Amino acid sequence: ALAVDLVQLGFLPPESRDDAASIAALLELAFRQASPSAKLSALSFSALVESLSGLARRAPIRIPPYYVLIIRSLAILEGIALGFDPNFKIV
């Protein structure tokens, strides 16, 4: 189901549906690295972007340009907000 959704959103090429389990494991690792406490409230968006960038080099994941703009905007906004309030959480 995850692989089908990622194909429909343009993150995976259609032929990678068979690799869903390995890609799901890599995505889980990326989210764990971005939130060591496994709580969504502790998620660092910038760390998630960094983890996903590394993941894109190891798996057939591609990030569509319109998502890249949204991700960069959120990372910048998180950085600005953290400059004013170190306890700021984007989620």
Side-chain angles (χ1 to χ4, degrees):
L2 175 64
V4 173
D5 292 340
L6 291 174
V7 168
Q8 289 178 344
L9 290 170
F11 286 92
L12 291 175
E15 61 273 7
S16 64
R17 289 181 193 201
D18 298 334
D19 298 333
S22 62
I23 292 170
L26 290 171
L27 287 170
E28 183 179 346
L29 176 64
F31 276 89
R32 283 182 193 255
Q33 290 173 342
S35 180
S37 68
K39 293 183 179 179
L40 188 57
S41 61
L43 179 78
S44 166
F45 197 78
S46 297
L48 179 60
V49 169
E50 188 175 323
S51 294
L52 290 176
S53 295
L55 172 65
R57 286 184 226 114
R58 295 186 313 237
I61 291 178
R62 48 185 186 206
I63 302 173
Y66 46 91
Y67 284 108
V68 172
L69 292 174
I70 293 169
I71 291 167
R72 285 185 69 195
S73 298
L74 287 172
I76 290 169
L77 289 172
E78 180 185 50
I80 292 170
L82 286 170
F84 288 103
D85 180 3
N87 296 318
F88 174 80
K89 301 293 179 199
I90 201 160
V91 178

